[in-house]
Amino acid sequence: MTFLILAVIVLFVLAGIRVMSIAALSAELRNNRKDDIITDAENRNQGNLWVVFLIAFFGFCAWQLYAYGDKILPEAASAHGPAIDNLFYTTLALITVVFILTHIVLVFQAYKHAGKTGKRATYFAHSNKLELIWTVIPAVVLTGLIAYGLTVWNDVIYPGDKQATVIELYSKQFDWTARYAGKDNTLGRSDFRTIGEGNDLGLIEDSKSDDDIIVKGEFHLVKGEPVQFKFRSRDVIHSAYMPHFRAQMNCVPGMETMFEFTPTITTAEMREKLNNPEFNYVLLCNKICGAAHYNMQMDIIVESKEDNLKWLAEQKTWAQTKAAATQTAATNQESTATATLDK
Amino acid sequence: MSAMDSNNTHPEHDVQILPGVHQHEHAHAHAHAHAHAHAHDHDDEHEHHDTFITKYIFTQDHKMIAKQFLMTAIFMAVIAMLMSIVFRLQLAWPGKSFPILEPILGKWAPGGVLNPDFYLALVTIHGTIMVFFVLTGGLSGTFSNLLIPLQIGARDMASGFLNMLSFWFFAASSVIMLFSVTIESGPASGGWTIYPPLSALEQAMPGSGLGMTLWLISMTLFIVSSLLGSLNYIVTIINLRTKGMSMTRLPLTIWAFLVTAILGVLSFPVLFAAALLLIFDRSFGTSFYLSDIYIGGQALEHNGGSPILYEHLFWFLGHPEVYIVLLPALGITSEVIATNARKPIFGYRAMIASILGIAFLSFIVWGHHMFITGMNPFLGSVFVFTTLLIAIPSAVKAFNYITTLWKGNIQFTPGMLFAIGLVSFFITGGVTGLILGDSALDINLHDTYFVVAHFHLVMGSAAIFGMFAGVYHWFPKMFGRVMNKKLGFAHFWLTFAGAYGVFFPMHFLGLAGVPRRYYSNTEFPIFNDLVDINVLVTWFAILAAVSQIIFLFNFFFSVFRGQKSSQNPWKSNTLEWTTPVEHIHGNWPGEIPEVHRWAYDYSKPDREEDFVLQTTPLTEKEIAEGAH
């Protein structure tokens, strides 16, 4: 890093010298009347500079891969994650080869065929054979890539009919709320017009919503159990992004969206793997939604079935929350009444 | 007028549609008297027809309009670039105080720390200006205007008046866009794509109030400008080509401008529709995009709309827009590379076919911006298919550029360096399109810095390099002088290194899961060890920005003091280099030259010179060999 900052500073100084020598240059400019002719020496220099560039550029790419390679694509913690990662690395390998080869060929032309007085270019206007080659080869490769990509896409988006736990992720400026379907595994219905004090999610009162469990700050998933997320938004578009699970879906006001996956590594296991006891999976917002967009997050805990049941048992259902609220309100009212009477 | 009509066989018609050209009443004793009716042996006589206002301000001359577009674009680009430096400072050193910011930004940077609302405003306006005002208006406006009449052999655009209107609508929209930055509640801040409901509701963010209204007004004027320009370009190219200039003899620049204009005419009206419906939702209580919203403590009346509709409409323009930005740059590159490699462009017809192929496909790929919006996954599959197909014509173009260099006699003019730089960006940025176009991979990378890296390389840097290549190459045509080559070399290498230094590391941020449009990444422990990438990127951004001082100095110095250009400084084949160095109305003093060959006979065997002007008749031998 220090090396790079130094390199940048050196480049700066070079730029600075350039700019400062403008006065000197401008005097030269008036005498230098050959701006439309590139001399042989200049052509040679520029041809060589392309080689220098290529080496520096590839070096830069390699250095970044070395410095940041272990931070990209954190280990996938969902069942479908490795399939996406494999597709990614396959595509990456392919495009890296194309990227390197074409750049070598491109820069080699610049180096080899730099202009020289008296030299003459070869008149070579077209070749059906070459054109055919570089139309057909990409077409074939792409066909394979499309087929591979769509297979993965279908597997991820249509995960099969295994019964999944339903969890709602509800977004608003600027936080997330998770709602578990409770014992009936059915989320109670909602209507945005009922949003109000004590009813942040706009739930409709009925037996289906009474056993729903609403949590903030963090939500818990079970390792190895498929979970189907249903996303809603109260105000603007948000996007539920869970990078470790290779999962993302927009939350759109006025409609419900869905995404399903199966977590495969518990938080504890991941902490051990990363040797980082502070580590947490995270849900973040990935669609610009306003000033605090950069800090709209919720922690995700993946745990065993037993731990999960224990945790769920500690949470209040919506019916319990309402009852508690009514009681508090009643107590308040009573005490107010008493206070009035005392007067 | 039929496609093959030459100008000089119908002078009456020309005069009617070319306001810049006045018919002389007095007779000329000349063999081609009718041609002289609109030709100008008497330039001096015209000088006093032009006041300062008609020559420099409300001009109808395409060459002057091109310069007006270029100057406006340069000004806008400098503003947008400075904006990017301000938000890059925040990203590299979040929360750090930069005392210089407070006097400039006032309440938006209290204590020299950028405010989060204004961060989003800067990102939004940076994107809007760069995409629309610099790379659409600036790039097409400058080079289509300058080159279409000159390269096809026309005295001016089909309608000089519409052309003038096109610029002034552009200027007005630029002024409004810049003005919106200065208002109390701040400019539009919902990202350059302005997705509702964020952009529709003032309660959602301060920038969605008056700032958004001004944005919409500005963009409406911009669309008018773009449509007037595009219609003019299309009509001019179809109707006003000189004798002998068949479609397959057109330089690739003109092909690119033509297809770009067609894309614009077909897609900008859809953006206009999207903007209009948004205006309705914002101001007149309709519900095209809004439904079931509770914001600011109340449930809104809007019912039944869908933000997804907006996304469809927006990206129906938005994706062709990428090619509206890129195709002119590729056209310029074709011309600059062929001229300076001293070789015919390789695969001329394949290049035309690939332009047409890209243009066609660009209309049926917009859904790849919406894989994870809740759009039907099957529809997503269709868009994956069409999107990845674009790689085929793109690959053909890249390989053809490289083959054009092969066994050339490459003259590394600054324009040529930028053109080769474009090819490099086009490849580096293009290949990651195969990742983002794949819906399964987009799940994880959508809206991350990977996307920012991808489009800044393939459409941002590539298109801006195309623009630079064009400026250096046609500067002699615009100002009669040549830009300093040494400053050009320095400008190229520093900018090239700067751009790669800024955008390449962003791939790593994106793969680590860092979302775009985040005011800072410090709220997430998982991004803690990525902070130094942002520092690196910002230093390179500053380097690239400082390098533009070299360009600006060179540009303005050369306008007044540069070396005087010869008529054909790059020894090029195309028609614009047969006009006099000094600009005159109607471009050619005598008859418009007739064209006898394609634009790319560089280093033709049996010729002494390594270029053959398009006006040179074919020899018997060439005809026998099947030349056209």
Side-chain angles (χ1 to χ4, degrees):
Chain A
M1 191 61 214
T2 347
F3 158 73
L4 237 109
I5 291 179
L6 274 177
V8 173
I9 291 171
V10 169
L11 281 172
F12 257 115
V13 173
L14 287 178
I17 293 171
R18 277 282 177 195
V19 176
M20 283 200 280
S21 61
I22 270 169
L25 264 169
S26 66
E28 188 207 327
L29 293 180
R30 272 165 236 169
N31 304 324
N32 177 8
R33 291 302 189 220
K34 289 222 161 47
D35 279 329
D36 51 346
I37 293 162
I38 308 297
T39 65
D40 285 0
E42 283 166 337
N43 275 330
R44 191 62 269 147
N45 280 340
Q46 295 301 317
N48 295 342
L49 269 179
W50 275 103
V51 178
V52 174
F53 155 76
L54 191 70
I55 294 167
F57 181 39
F58 281 174
F60 182 62
C61 298
W63 170 77
Q64 284 179 87
L65 208 59
Y66 166 76
Y68 302 111
D70 57 333
K71 295 175 181 101
I72 61 169
L73 286 187
E75 184 172 356
S78 62
H80 73 269
I84 288 186
D85 288 1
N86 286 339
L87 175 62
F88 175 79
Y89 285 118
T90 309
T91 315
L92 185 67
L94 193 77
I95 64 176
T96 306
V97 171
V98 173
F99 164 71
I100 291 177
L101 287 183
T102 46
H103 268 85
I104 290 176
V105 176
L106 176 72
V107 166
F108 183 72
Q109 306 310 320
Y111 170 78
K112 180 88 190 297
H113 303 295
K116 231 191 292 181
T117 321
K119 195 166 103 177
R120 203 174 169 96
T122 306
Y123 187 90
F124 181 49
H126 73 102
S127 151
N128 288 342
K129 198 169 137 197
L130 282 179
E131 307 268 357
L132 201 68
I133 290 173
W134 55 61
T135 309
V136 170
I137 291 180
V140 170
V141 174
L142 283 168
T143 311
L145 209 56
I146 291 170
Y148 183 14
L150 289 183
T151 317
V152 176
W153 171 246
N154 280 327
D155 290 347
V156 174
I157 289 294
Y158 307 110
D161 11 277
K162 204 173 158 198
Q163 187 62 37
T165 316
V166 176
I167 298 179
E168 176 183 79
L169 285 177
Y170 184 78
S171 55
K172 70 174 176 43
Q173 290 177 325
F174 297 95
D175 62 23
W176 297 95
T177 310
R179 175 160 65 117
Y180 289 75
K183 291 206 179 69
D184 57 0
N185 202 23
T186 311
L187 288 166
R189 289 175 307 130
S190 63
D191 185 333
F192 75 108
R193 276 164 290 221
T194 66
I195 295 176
E197 185 74 37
N199 189 4
D200 261 355
L201 306 190
L203 302 188
I204 295 171
E205 310 228 1
D206 63 14
S207 60
K208 295 239 164 68
S209 61
D210 274 347
D211 66 340
D212 290 0
I213 292 170
I214 297 167
V215 294
K216 295 201 129 181
E218 63 176 47
F219 66 96
H220 291 223
L221 303 176
V222 181
K223 178 184 169 180
E225 240 179 42
V227 49
Q228 184 182 55
F229 288 101
K230 302 199 167 192
F231 304 97
R232 280 200 298 138
S233 169
R234 164 201 280 203
D235 37 36
V236 302
I237 302 177
H238 301 272
S239 186
Y241 181 35
M242 297 171 256
H244 302 94
F245 303 101
R246 309 291 186 264
Q248 182 172 201
M249 187 53 69
N250 284 6
C251 312
V252 185
M255 68 187 270
E256 186 182 73
T257 52
M258 278 178 280
F259 196 95
E260 185 172 332
F261 69 80
T262 311
T264 51
I265 303 174
T266 65
T267 302
E269 286 165 352
M270 197 53 124
R271 284 176 178 168
E272 206 164 310
K273 280 186 188 215
L274 297 172
N275 199 16
N276 175 8
E278 308 280 297
F279 173 84
N280 260 334
Y281 295 118
V282 68
L283 159 71
L284 32 78
C285 178
N286 196 16
K287 182 65 77 189
I288 181 171
C289 66
H293 168 54
Y294 70 99
N295 188 15
M296 177 169 161
Q297 55 175 309
M298 195 170 186
D299 285 337
I300 307 171
I301 310 288
V302 180
E303 59 201 0
S304 67
K305 182 79 186 169
E306 299 144 30
D307 288 349
N308 189 252
L309 287 174
K310 216 166 89 191
W311 176 78
L312 274 175
E314 287 164 12
Q315 310 304 316
K316 281 187 186 138
T317 63
W318 195 46
Q320 286 166 340
T321 317
K322 273 188 299 186
T326 323
Q327 205 169 2
T328 324
T331 326
N332 284 347
Q333 211 164 14
E334 219 167 88
S335 55
T336 323
T338 329
T340 321
L341 277 178
D342 282 350
K343 276 186 184 174
Chain B
M1 229 173 159
S2 85
M4 288 303 295
D5 256 348
S6 80
N7 283 339
N8 42 17
T9 54
H10 290 289
E12 312 82 10
H13 193 175
D14 274 342
V15 171
Q16 277 171 4
I17 58 172
L18 295 175
V21 178
H22 313 287
Q23 190 160 11
H24 294 274
E25 293 302 322
H26 49 271
H28 292 268
H30 196 285
H32 304 284
H34 69 280
H36 265 259
H38 58 296
H40 301 280
D41 287 345
H42 305 284
D43 292 322
D44 50 335
E45 201 172 275
H46 276 274
E47 290 304 312
H48 58 251
H49 288 310
D50 279 327
T51 63
F52 179 82
I53 289 184
T54 57
K55 187 168 179 196
Y56 293 107
I57 300 178
F58 294 108
T59 175
Q60 300 189 11
D61 184 292
H62 72 99
K63 301 180 288 297
M64 186 57 74
I65 292 175
K67 288 195 253 184
Q68 291 176 325
F69 268 107
L70 181 60
M71 294 300 173
T72 315
I74 288 177
F75 180 73
M76 295 297 273
V78 169
I79 303 259
M81 186 185 72
L82 291 176
M83 286 179 168
S84 72
I85 297 299
V86 174
F87 64 68
R88 278 306 327 170
L89 288 178
Q90 159 63 22
L91 286 171
W93 299 284
K96 189 174 151 73
S97 168
F98 294 93
I100 188 178
L101 293 181
E102 193 165 12
I104 303 172
L105 302 177
K107 66 161 179 161
W108 298 117
V113 181
L114 191 65
N115 155 301
D117 274 316
F118 204 64
Y119 170 85
L120 295 179
L122 287 177
V123 185
T124 303
I125 303 298
H126 165 82
T128 307
I129 290 182
M130 285 300 194
V131 171
F132 292 112
F133 291 83
V134 179
L135 293 176
T136 306
L139 186 55
S140 279
T142 304
F143 291 103
S144 294
N145 269 311
L146 179 72
L147 294 178
I148 288 174
L150 287 172
Q151 287 195 332
I152 67 171
R155 300 231 177 255
D156 205 308
M157 281 289 173
S159 167
F161 181 70
L162 287 189
N163 213 17
M164 178 186 83
L165 282 184
S166 166
F167 172 73
W168 284 104
F169 272 105
F170 177 65
S173 78
S174 304
V175 169
I176 293 172
M177 189 59 75
L178 291 181
F179 172 71
S180 81
V181 179
T182 66
I183 62 171
E184 178 67 22
S185 55
S189 316
W192 77 281
T193 55
I194 57 156
Y195 281 4
L198 185 62
S199 61
L201 305 172
E202 199 172 348
Q203 306 93 307
M205 66 194 317
S208 292
L210 179 60
M212 193 63 227
T213 306
L214 291 172
W215 193 97
L216 288 165
I217 294 171
S218 168
M219 281 313 297
T220 305
L221 297 179
F222 180 88
I223 292 167
V224 173
S225 158
S226 168
L227 290 178
L228 290 175
S230 296
L231 287 171
N232 224 342
Y233 307 150
I234 295 170
V235 172
T236 309
I237 294 171
I238 303 285
N239 285 329
L240 295 185
R241 281 167 292 131
T242 185
K243 191 170 179 194
M245 184 62 92
S246 60
M247 292 304 277
T248 49
R249 280 180 181 166
L250 283 175
L252 286 171
T253 33
I254 302 301
W255 266 105
F257 297 149
L258 173 66
V259 174
T260 302
I262 293 172
L263 289 184
V265 166
L266 294 178
S267 65
F268 267 111
V270 180
L271 176 67
F272 179 68
L276 199 64
L277 299 188
L278 184 55
I279 290 171
F280 274 48
D281 274 8
R282 288 167 51 82
S283 306
F284 307 122
T286 56
S287 306
F288 292 105
Y289 306 137
L290 306 176
S291 190
D292 295 21
I293 292 169
Y294 182 94
I295 195 166
Q298 67 184 90
L300 304 186
E301 295 293 330
H302 299 280
N303 196 358
S306 168
I308 306 294
L309 168 65
Y310 174 85
E311 294 180 21
H312 278 295
L313 292 174
F314 181 85
W315 287 113
F316 189 83
L317 155 95
H319 203 79
E321 169 64 23
V322 170
Y323 293 96
I324 290 173
V325 162
L326 196 59
L327 285 178
L330 291 173
I332 287 168
T333 299
S334 304
E335 190 64 22
V336 172
I337 283 190
T339 305
N340 290 299
R342 315 306 296 159
K343 276 189 63 185
I345 190 80
F346 182 78
Y348 173 78
R349 280 165 193 266
M351 290 300 245
I352 296 174
S354 62
I355 291 175
L356 293 172
I358 288 174
F360 171 71
L361 288 172
S362 77
F363 274 106
I364 50 172
V365 299
W366 79 89
H368 68 224
H369 298 271
M370 301 169 60
F371 288 138
I372 55 151
T373 55
M375 185 175 75
N376 187 321
F378 176 73
L379 199 52
S381 310
V382 177
F383 282 117
V384 172
F385 180 70
T386 54
T387 301
L388 295 200
L389 285 186
I390 284 203
I392 299 171
S394 306
V396 168
K397 288 199 88 79
F399 289 134
N400 283 2
Y401 286 135
I402 293 173
T403 314
T404 306
L405 295 176
W406 180 68
K407 288 194 174 178
N409 183 24
I410 302 172
Q411 305 300 312
F412 287 108
T413 62
M416 181 63 162
L417 289 173
F418 277 100
I420 299 175
L422 176 148
V423 177
S424 169
F425 284 139
F426 187 57
I427 295 169
T428 312
V431 289
T432 51
L434 292 182
I435 290 177
L436 291 168
D438 213 331
S439 53
L441 300 178
D442 189 64
I443 294 172
N444 191 46
L445 293 173
H446 188 89
D447 266 344
T448 64
Y449 267 89
F450 197 85
V451 179
V452 180
H454 163 72
F455 76 78
H456 273 97
L457 284 172
V458 78
M459 98 176 217
S461 301
I464 211 88
F465 268 44
M467 196 162 165
F468 278 131
V471 170
Y472 280 102
H473 192 77
W474 281 288
F475 193 87
K477 202 67 257 167
M478 282 189 270
F479 298 99
R481 293 170 188 270
V482 187
M483 285 174 78
N484 180 274
K485 60 184 172 184
K486 286 187 178 150
L487 291 177
F489 296 154
H491 173 224
F492 168 74
W493 287 108
L494 290 172
T495 311
F496 197 41
Y500 265 131
V502 170
F503 301 121
F504 203 87
M506 288 185 183
H507 292 112
F508 292 88
L509 287 175
L511 287 169
V514 179
R516 66 194 287 205
R517 293 166 177 155
Y518 264 26
Y519 170 67
S520 85
N521 308 327
T522 48
E523 302 300 329
F524 292 87
I526 53 168
F527 301 144
N528 276 352
D529 44 6
L530 298 163
V531 174
D532 54 351
I533 300 191
N534 272 319
V535 175
L536 179 73
V537 166
T538 299
W539 277 114
F540 271 112
I542 293 171
L543 168 74
V546 169
S547 314
Q548 303 320 306
I549 296 173
I550 302 174
F551 170 74
L552 291 174
F553 169 79
N554 194 1
F555 186 91
F556 289 105
F557 182 89
S558 302
V559 168
F560 300 105
R561 292 284 188 76
Q563 174 202 337
K564 285 228 163 69
S565 170
S566 58
Q567 191 183 21
N568 189 359
W570 316 118
K571 299 193 171 53
S572 190
N573 290 344
T574 36
L575 281 184
E576 76 270 29
W577 306 106
T578 62
T579 62
V581 177
E582 295 292 323
H583 285 178
I584 55 171
H585 278 321
N587 296 337
W588 285 268
E591 284 180 56
I592 294 179
E594 187 179 336
V595 164
H596 297 281
R597 59 178 69 234
W598 73 328
Y600 297 103
D601 272 341
Y602 290 105
S603 301
K604 189 133 199 197
D606 307 333
R607 293 269 173 180
E608 199 176 316
E609 293 269 23
D610 65 354
F611 69 108
V612 189
L613 283 169
Q614 281 191 279
T615 50
T616 313
L618 292 169
T619 61
E620 297 283 329
K621 185 162 173 270
E622 283 173 320
I623 295 169
E625 282 165 358
H628 52 83

